[in-house]
Amino acid sequence: MNEKQNRQITHVIFDVDGLILDTEKLYTEASTEICSRYGKEFTWEIKAKQMGQKEHVAAQILIDMAGLPLTVDEYLPQLEANLYKLFPSTALLPGAERLIRHLHKHQVPICVATGSVQHGYNQKMAGHKELFSLFHHHVTASDDPEVKEGKPAPDCFLVAAKRFKDQPKPEQTLVFEDSPNGVQAGLSAGMAVVWVPEPRIDRSQYQDQVDSILDTLEDFRPEDYGLPPFDD
């Protein structure tokens, strides 16, 4: 156990894409299809830079790196149309439901802070509305007026923490993230960060800064953070 894990966490913030919901492969499929229309390639390098970013920023990254002959306003409707067809099939990632229900059962305040726009977020969680209703609130960074800068800036997590009724201190707040941009945002907010990276991501870049690195949320031990242990 990392020595940083000797914390007394009172509040928890979750990212969504690639952490709770297995949407990253859907974004890859949708983006790959658009790139192929124009004879371009959607690469891992592009995706890695996009992860956690606000919608318009992520779109511009792809356009610039892939060399698409599109503006952001031309690209995003195409992406949305592809995702609209894919999102209803979104599955939960291992360990996510168990952890969310456990924290809610034990009255640990939890919320979501995602780089999505609200309507996209609604589509993604449509098949899991009851589970997502357990969150105290939801911050969609791409269209939330209080979130001035997307990840890796700390804005979305600071806004999310402020909207808890009792506004916890940063060091009492735990962030779950999968993307490097999200990890940097959590660290910049002064919060504890548990990183659940995609297998292809270089883990060495934050291994000395995050509290722990997990393969899946199934590996999380709440008691390491002063939270109630799992019942089973």
Side-chain angles (χ1 to χ4, degrees):
M1 183 178 70
N2 188 313
E3 63 180 9
K4 294 179 182 178
Q5 290 174 322
N6 187 24
R7 297 185 187 260
Q8 293 300 309
I9 295 299
T10 59
H11 296 65
V12 178
I13 304 176
F14 287 83
D15 179 45
V16 176
D17 294 300
L19 182 85
I20 298 175
L21 294 176
D22 193 13
T23 50
E24 289 298 347
K25 66 181 181 182
L26 304 184
Y27 277 101
T28 296
E29 183 177 340
S31 301
T32 297
E33 194 279 329
I34 295 170
C35 286
S36 67
R37 294 179 200 171
Y38 300 93
K40 306 297 183 180
E41 183 181 4
F42 182 69
T43 65
W44 166 249
E45 287 71 25
I46 296 173
K47 184 174 182 66
K49 289 186 178 296
Q50 286 184 302
M51 292 174 70
Q53 295 280 11
K54 280 191 171 188
E55 184 179 70
H56 278 70
V57 175
Q60 192 64 62
I61 288 170
L62 184 148
I63 289 166
D64 292 343
M65 293 184 69
L68 283 182
L70 299 171
T71 65
V72 169
D73 289 338
E74 291 169 337
Y75 170 79
L76 284 177
Q78 296 185 50
L79 180 67
E80 184 176 339
N82 282 359
L83 292 173
Y84 185 80
K85 293 181 288 187
L86 296 169
F87 276 155
S89 64
T90 304
L92 294 167
L93 284 163
E97 181 169 11
R98 180 192 185 212
L99 178 56
I100 292 165
R101 293 193 184 281
H102 171 75
L103 295 174
H104 181 265
K105 174 184 175 181
H106 290 277
Q107 300 182 330
V108 177
I110 55 177
C111 76
V112 158
T114 173
S116 298
V117 293
Q118 185 67 54
H119 69 85
Y121 174 68
N122 291 342
Q123 290 174 10
K124 279 182 274 193
M125 59 97 168
H128 308 283
K129 286 183 179 179
E130 187 274 331
L131 181 65
F132 276 82
S133 73
L134 303 182
F135 289 104
H136 180 268
H137 57 275
H138 313 251
V139 175
T140 54
S142 283
D143 55 8
D144 190 304
E146 285 196 69
V147 180
K148 303 305 180 185
E149 298 291 336
K151 303 170 186 178
D155 302 31
C156 66
F157 292 131
L158 295 174
V159 169
K162 184 176 72 172
R163 291 181 184 171
F164 284 119
K165 291 180 181 178
D166 44 357
Q167 298 188 10
K169 296 177 181 178
E171 61 268 24
Q172 296 175 312
T173 307
L174 177 61
V175 168
F176 284 101
E177 262 290 352
D178 69 303
S179 74
N181 285 324
V183 168
Q184 184 58 58
L187 293 173
S188 296
M191 299 174 180
V193 178
V194 170
W195 189 18
V196 190
E198 206 269 1
R200 289 175 289 182
I201 292 177
D202 177 11
R203 300 183 175 204
S204 65
Q205 56 188 319
Y206 290 116
Q207 65 181 5
D208 295 328
Q209 300 177 60
V210 299
D211 282 63
S212 60
I213 301 175
L214 308 178
D215 291 329
T216 77
L217 287 175
E218 291 178 310
D219 301 327
F220 181 66
R221 289 168 45 89
E223 60 269 31
D224 290 345
Y225 295 84
L227 296 167
F230 287 119
D231 302 322
D232 50 3

